[in-house]
PDB file of all heavy atoms in Angstrom:
ATOM      1  N   LYS J 332       7.506  12.240  17.108  1.00 89.00           N
ATOM      2  CA  LYS J 332       8.170  13.463  17.570  1.00 89.00           C
ATOM      3  C   LYS J 332       8.978  14.077  16.433  1.00 89.00           C
ATOM      4  O   LYS J 332       8.941  15.292  16.197  1.00 89.00           O
ATOM      5  CB  LYS J 332       9.088  13.126  18.744  1.00 89.00           C
ATOM      6  CG  LYS J 332       9.787  14.328  19.364  1.00 89.00           C
ATOM      7  CD  LYS J 332       8.910  15.052  20.342  1.00 89.00           C
ATOM      8  CE  LYS J 332       9.698  16.092  21.113  1.00 89.00           C
ATOM      9  NZ  LYS J 332       8.841  16.849  22.051  1.00 89.00           N
ATOM     10  N   SER J 333       9.697  13.219  15.693  1.00 87.00           N
ATOM     11  CA  SER J 333      10.497  13.699  14.573  1.00 87.00           C
ATOM     12  C   SER J 333       9.604  14.264  13.462  1.00 87.00           C
ATOM     13  O   SER J 333       9.888  15.324  12.899  1.00 87.00           O
ATOM     14  CB  SER J 333      11.349  12.546  14.022  1.00 87.00           C
ATOM     15  OG  SER J 333      12.018  12.918  12.841  1.00 87.00           O
ATOM     16  N   LYS J 334       8.508  13.563  13.162  1.00 85.00           N
ATOM     17  CA  LYS J 334       7.592  14.023  12.104  1.00 85.00           C
ATOM     18  C   LYS J 334       6.928  15.344  12.491  1.00 85.00           C
ATOM     19  O   LYS J 334       6.716  16.218  11.649  1.00 85.00           O
ATOM     20  CB  LYS J 334       6.518  12.964  11.842  1.00 85.00           C
ATOM     21  CG  LYS J 334       7.043  11.650  11.303  1.00 85.00           C
ATOM     22  CD  LYS J 334       7.681  11.816   9.940  1.00 85.00           C
ATOM     23  CE  LYS J 334       8.210  10.500   9.411  1.00 85.00           C
ATOM     24  NZ  LYS J 334       8.897  10.662   8.104  1.00 85.00           N
ATOM     25  N   TYR J 335       6.603  15.485  13.770  1.00 85.00           N
ATOM     26  CA  TYR J 335       5.982  16.734  14.226  1.00 85.00           C
ATOM     27  C   TYR J 335       6.954  17.902  14.092  1.00 85.00           C
ATOM     28  O   TYR J 335       6.577  18.999  13.664  1.00 85.00           O
ATOM     29  CB  TYR J 335       5.519  16.597  15.670  1.00 85.00           C
ATOM     30  CG  TYR J 335       5.082  17.919  16.272  1.00 85.00           C
ATOM     31  CD1 TYR J 335       4.019  18.624  15.724  1.00 85.00           C
ATOM     32  CD2 TYR J 335       5.761  18.464  17.355  1.00 85.00           C
ATOM     33  CE1 TYR J 335       3.634  19.844  16.246  1.00 85.00           C
ATOM     34  CE2 TYR J 335       5.378  19.675  17.889  1.00 85.00           C
ATOM     35  CZ  TYR J 335       4.316  20.373  17.332  1.00 85.00           C
ATOM     36  OH  TYR J 335       3.930  21.583  17.839  1.00 85.00           O
ATOM     37  N   THR J 336       8.217  17.670  14.421  1.00 84.00           N
ATOM     38  CA  THR J 336       9.232  18.721  14.276  1.00 84.00           C
ATOM     39  C   THR J 336       9.339  19.171  12.822  1.00 84.00           C
ATOM     40  O   THR J 336       9.407  20.369  12.528  1.00 84.00           O
ATOM     41  CB  THR J 336      10.598  18.214  14.774  1.00 84.00           C
ATOM     42  OG1 THR J 336      10.488  17.831  16.151  1.00 84.00           O
ATOM     43  CG2 THR J 336      11.662  19.288  14.634  1.00 84.00           C
ATOM     44  N   GLU J 337       9.330  18.205  11.901  1.00 82.00           N
ATOM     45  CA  GLU J 337       9.383  18.533  10.475  1.00 82.00           C
ATOM     46  C   GLU J 337       8.157  19.338  10.053  1.00 82.00           C
ATOM     47  O   GLU J 337       8.269  20.324   9.312  1.00 82.00           O
ATOM     48  CB  GLU J 337       9.471  17.251   9.644  1.00 82.00           C
ATOM     49  CG  GLU J 337      10.785  16.503   9.776  1.00 82.00           C
ATOM     50  CD  GLU J 337      10.790  15.232   8.960  1.00 82.00           C
ATOM     51  OE1 GLU J 337       9.870  15.041   8.132  1.00 82.00           O
ATOM     52  OE2 GLU J 337      11.706  14.412   9.155  1.00 82.00           O
ATOM     53  N   LEU J 338       6.975  18.900  10.501  1.00 79.00           N
ATOM     54  CA  LEU J 338       5.737  19.601  10.162  1.00 79.00           C
ATOM     55  C   LEU J 338       5.768  21.047  10.642  1.00 79.00           C
ATOM     56  O   LEU J 338       5.404  21.973   9.916  1.00 79.00           O
ATOM     57  CB  LEU J 338       4.535  18.890  10.791  1.00 79.00           C
ATOM     58  CG  LEU J 338       3.866  17.774  10.012  1.00 79.00           C
ATOM     59  CD1 LEU J 338       2.766  17.132  10.858  1.00 79.00           C
ATOM     60  CD2 LEU J 338       3.280  18.274   8.703  1.00 79.00           C
ATOM     61  N   LYS J 339       6.197  21.221  11.865  1.00 78.00           N
ATOM     62  CA  LYS J 339       6.191  22.558  12.459  1.00 78.00           C
ATOM     63  C   LYS J 339       7.161  23.487  11.740  1.00 78.00           C
ATOM     64  O   LYS J 339       6.843  24.650  11.460  1.00 78.00           O
ATOM     65  CB  LYS J 339       6.545  22.460  13.945  1.00 78.00           C
ATOM     66  CG  LYS J 339       6.310  23.761  14.700  1.00 78.00           C
ATOM     67  CD  LYS J 339       6.484  23.566  16.193  1.00 78.00           C
ATOM     68  CE  LYS J 339       6.212  24.872  16.924  1.00 78.00           C
ATOM     69  NZ  LYS J 339       6.408  24.745  18.374  1.00 78.00           N
ATOM     70  N   GLU J 340       8.345  22.965  11.401  1.00 76.00           N
ATOM     71  CA  GLU J 340       9.329  23.787  10.699  1.00 76.00           C
ATOM     72  C   GLU J 340       8.854  24.136   9.293  1.00 76.00           C
ATOM     73  O   GLU J 340       9.025  25.268   8.830  1.00 76.00           O
ATOM     74  CB  GLU J 340      10.669  23.043  10.631  1.00 76.00           C
ATOM     75  CG  GLU J 340      11.371  22.915  11.975  1.00 76.00           C
ATOM     76  CD  GLU J 340      12.627  22.073  11.896  1.00 76.00           C
ATOM     77  OE1 GLU J 340      12.873  21.477  10.814  1.00 76.00           O
ATOM     78  OE2 GLU J 340      13.342  21.979  12.905  1.00 76.00           O
ATOM     79  N   ARG J 341       8.230  23.175   8.624  1.00 74.00           N
ATOM     80  CA  ARG J 341       7.801  23.396   7.243  1.00 74.00           C
ATOM     81  C   ARG J 341       6.641  24.370   7.162  1.00 74.00           C
ATOM     82  O   ARG J 341       6.522  25.153   6.221  1.00 74.00           O
ATOM     83  CB  ARG J 341       7.417  22.054   6.606  1.00 74.00           C
ATOM     84  CG  ARG J 341       7.139  22.144   5.117  1.00 74.00           C
ATOM     85  CD  ARG J 341       7.218  20.789   4.454  1.00 74.00           C
ATOM     86  NE  ARG J 341       6.225  19.861   4.941  1.00 74.00           N
ATOM     87  CZ  ARG J 341       6.483  18.731   5.578  1.00 74.00           C
ATOM     88  NH1 ARG J 341       7.740  18.385   5.821  1.00 74.00           N
ATOM     89  NH2 ARG J 341       5.529  17.926   5.977  1.00 74.00           N
ATOM     90  N   ASN J 342       5.751  24.323   8.150  1.00 70.00           N
ATOM     91  CA  ASN J 342       4.546  25.160   8.124  1.00 70.00           C
ATOM     92  C   ASN J 342       4.637  26.391   9.005  1.00 70.00           C
ATOM     93  O   ASN J 342       3.687  27.168   9.088  1.00 70.00           O
ATOM     94  CB  ASN J 342       3.333  24.321   8.550  1.00 70.00           C
ATOM     95  CG  ASN J 342       2.991  23.251   7.527  1.00 70.00           C
ATOM     96  OD1 ASN J 342       2.284  23.493   6.568  1.00 70.00           O
ATOM     97  ND2 ASN J 342       3.514  22.046   7.739  1.00 70.00           N
ATOM     98  N   LYS J 343       5.770  26.538   9.715  1.00 66.00           N
ATOM     99  CA  LYS J 343       5.954  27.688  10.620  1.00 66.00           C
ATOM    100  C   LYS J 343       4.766  27.822  11.576  1.00 66.00           C
ATOM    101  O   LYS J 343       4.221  28.906  11.781  1.00 66.00           O
ATOM    102  CB  LYS J 343       6.146  28.979   9.814  1.00 66.00           C
ATOM    103  CG  LYS J 343       7.397  28.981   8.941  1.00 66.00           C
ATOM    104  CD  LYS J 343       7.551  30.283   8.180  1.00 66.00           C
ATOM    105  CE  LYS J 343       8.871  30.340   7.432  1.00 66.00           C
ATOM    106  NZ  LYS J 343       9.056  29.243   6.483  1.00 66.00           N
ATOM    107  N   ASN J 344       4.385  26.687  12.147  1.00 61.00           N
ATOM    108  CA  ASN J 344       3.224  26.666  13.042  1.00 61.00           C
ATOM    109  C   ASN J 344       3.583  27.234  14.411  1.00 61.00           C
ATOM    110  O   ASN J 344       4.626  26.933  14.980  1.00 61.00           O
ATOM    111  CB  ASN J 344       2.723  25.220  13.195  1.00 61.00           C
ATOM    112  CG  ASN J 344       1.437  25.143  13.988  1.00 61.00           C
ATOM    113  OD1 ASN J 344       0.535  25.935  13.770  1.00 61.00           O
ATOM    114  ND2 ASN J 344       1.361  24.191  14.900  1.00 61.00           N
ATOM    115  N   THR J 345       2.715  28.074  14.949  1.00 60.00           N
ATOM    116  CA  THR J 345       2.976  28.690  16.260  1.00 60.00           C
ATOM    117  C   THR J 345       2.228  27.995  17.381  1.00 60.00           C
ATOM    118  O   THR J 345       2.442  28.300  18.549  1.00 60.00           O
ATOM    119  CB  THR J 345       2.573  30.178  16.232  1.00 60.00           C
ATOM    120  OG1 THR J 345       1.183  30.283  15.888  1.00 60.00           O
ATOM    121  CG2 THR J 345       3.407  30.932  15.212  1.00 60.00           C
ATOM    122  N   HIS J 346       1.316  27.091  17.040  1.00 63.00           N
ATOM    123  CA  HIS J 346       0.511  26.392  18.059  1.00 63.00           C
ATOM    124  C   HIS J 346       1.142  25.029  18.347  1.00 63.00           C
ATOM    125  O   HIS J 346       1.076  24.111  17.545  1.00 63.00           O
ATOM    126  CB  HIS J 346      -0.934  26.230  17.599  1.00 63.00           C
ATOM    127  CG  HIS J 346      -1.591  27.539  17.271  1.00 63.00           C
ATOM    128  ND1 HIS J 346      -1.897  28.472  18.228  1.00 63.00           N
ATOM    129  CD2 HIS J 346      -1.975  28.069  16.092  1.00 63.00           C
ATOM    130  CE1 HIS J 346      -2.460  29.530  17.654  1.00 63.00           C
ATOM    131  NE2 HIS J 346      -2.512  29.299  16.356  1.00 63.00           N
ATOM    132  N   THR J 347       1.758  24.925  19.501  1.00 71.00           N
ATOM    133  CA  THR J 347       2.544  23.745  19.842  1.00 71.00           C
ATOM    134  C   THR J 347       1.654  22.588  20.277  1.00 71.00           C
ATOM    135  O   THR J 347       0.696  22.773  21.028  1.00 71.00           O
ATOM    136  CB  THR J 347       3.524  24.074  20.981  1.00 71.00           C
ATOM    137  OG1 THR J 347       4.344  25.169  20.591  1.00 71.00           O
ATOM    138  CG2 THR J 347       4.392  22.874  21.312  1.00 71.00           C
ATOM    139  N   LEU J 348       1.986  21.379  19.789  1.00 76.00           N
ATOM    140  CA  LEU J 348       1.370  20.157  20.303  1.00 76.00           C
ATOM    141  C   LEU J 348       2.273  19.638  21.411  1.00 76.00           C
ATOM    142  O   LEU J 348       3.441  19.334  21.185  1.00 76.00           O
ATOM    143  CB  LEU J 348       1.240  19.098  19.196  1.00 76.00           C
ATOM    144  CG  LEU J 348       0.328  19.420  18.015  1.00 76.00           C
ATOM    145  CD1 LEU J 348       0.330  18.265  17.021  1.00 76.00           C
ATOM    146  CD2 LEU J 348      -1.084  19.699  18.483  1.00 76.00           C
ATOM    147  N   GLU J 349       1.729  19.550  22.617  1.00 78.00           N
ATOM    148  CA  GLU J 349       2.528  19.124  23.760  1.00 78.00           C
ATOM    149  C   GLU J 349       2.858  17.635  23.654  1.00 78.00           C
ATOM    150  O   GLU J 349       2.216  16.878  22.934  1.00 78.00           O
ATOM    151  CB  GLU J 349       1.772  19.408  25.062  1.00 78.00           C
ATOM    152  CG  GLU J 349       1.441  20.867  25.267  1.00 78.00           C
ATOM    153  CD  GLU J 349       2.689  21.737  25.435  1.00 78.00           C
ATOM    154  OE1 GLU J 349       3.759  21.182  25.763  1.00 78.00           O
ATOM    155  OE2 GLU J 349       2.588  22.963  25.244  1.00 78.00           O
ATOM    156  N   LEU J 371      -1.365  12.279  13.077  1.00 86.00           N
ATOM    157  CA  LEU J 371      -0.640  13.498  13.436  1.00 86.00           C
ATOM    158  C   LEU J 371      -0.965  14.626  12.455  1.00 86.00           C
ATOM    159  O   LEU J 371      -1.222  15.768  12.865  1.00 86.00           O
ATOM    160  CB  LEU J 371       0.866  13.229  13.429  1.00 86.00           C
ATOM    161  CG  LEU J 371       1.759  14.463  13.608  1.00 86.00           C
ATOM    162  CD1 LEU J 371       1.544  15.108  14.964  1.00 86.00           C
ATOM    163  CD2 LEU J 371       3.235  14.089  13.406  1.00 86.00           C
ATOM    164  N   ASN J 372      -0.985  14.309  11.163  1.00 83.00           N
ATOM    165  CA  ASN J 372      -1.290  15.326  10.154  1.00 83.00           C
ATOM    166  C   ASN J 372      -2.674  15.923  10.366  1.00 83.00           C
ATOM    167  O   ASN J 372      -2.886  17.127  10.212  1.00 83.00           O
ATOM    168  CB  ASN J 372      -1.201  14.721   8.748  1.00 83.00           C
ATOM    169  CG  ASN J 372       0.226  14.436   8.331  1.00 83.00           C
ATOM    170  OD1 ASN J 372       1.163  15.049   8.830  1.00 83.00           O
ATOM    171  ND2 ASN J 372       0.403  13.487   7.435  1.00 83.00           N
ATOM    172  N   PHE J 375      -2.624  18.141  13.500  1.00 82.00           N
ATOM    173  CA  PHE J 375      -1.850  19.345  13.180  1.00 82.00           C
ATOM    174  C   PHE J 375      -2.678  20.299  12.316  1.00 82.00           C
ATOM    175  O   PHE J 375      -2.695  21.516  12.546  1.00 82.00           O
ATOM    176  CB  PHE J 375      -0.567  18.935  12.456  1.00 82.00           C
ATOM    177  CG  PHE J 375       0.375  20.073  12.184  1.00 82.00           C
ATOM    178  CD1 PHE J 375       1.327  20.451  13.117  1.00 82.00           C
ATOM    179  CD2 PHE J 375       0.317  20.766  10.983  1.00 82.00           C
ATOM    180  CE1 PHE J 375       2.199  21.499  12.866  1.00 82.00           C
ATOM    181  CE2 PHE J 375       1.182  21.813  10.725  1.00 82.00           C
ATOM    182  CZ  PHE J 375       2.129  22.183  11.672  1.00 82.00           C
ATOM    183  N   ASN J 379      -4.177  24.221  13.112  1.00 73.00           N
ATOM    184  CA  ASN J 379      -4.058  25.426  12.281  1.00 73.00           C
ATOM    185  C   ASN J 379      -5.429  26.017  11.957  1.00 73.00           C
ATOM    186  O   ASN J 379      -5.618  27.234  11.975  1.00 73.00           O
ATOM    187  CB  ASN J 379      -3.328  25.082  10.972  1.00 73.00           C
ATOM    188  CG  ASN J 379      -1.829  24.973  11.170  1.00 73.00           C
ATOM    189  OD1 ASN J 379      -1.287  25.464  12.159  1.00 73.00           O
ATOM    190  ND2 ASN J 379      -1.163  24.322  10.242  1.00 73.00           N
TER     191      ASN J 379
END
Side-chain angles (χ1 to χ4, degrees):
K332 183 82 170 178
S333 173
K334 296 296 180 183
Y335 170 61
T336 301
E337 291 179 11
L338 272 176
K339 191 172 181 182
E340 290 175 353
R341 188 161 63 243
N342 292 275
K343 297 181 174 58
N344 186 44
T345 58
H346 303 291
T347 303
L348 296 180
E349 300 295 340
L371 172 63
N372 288 336
F375 185 88
N379 282 342

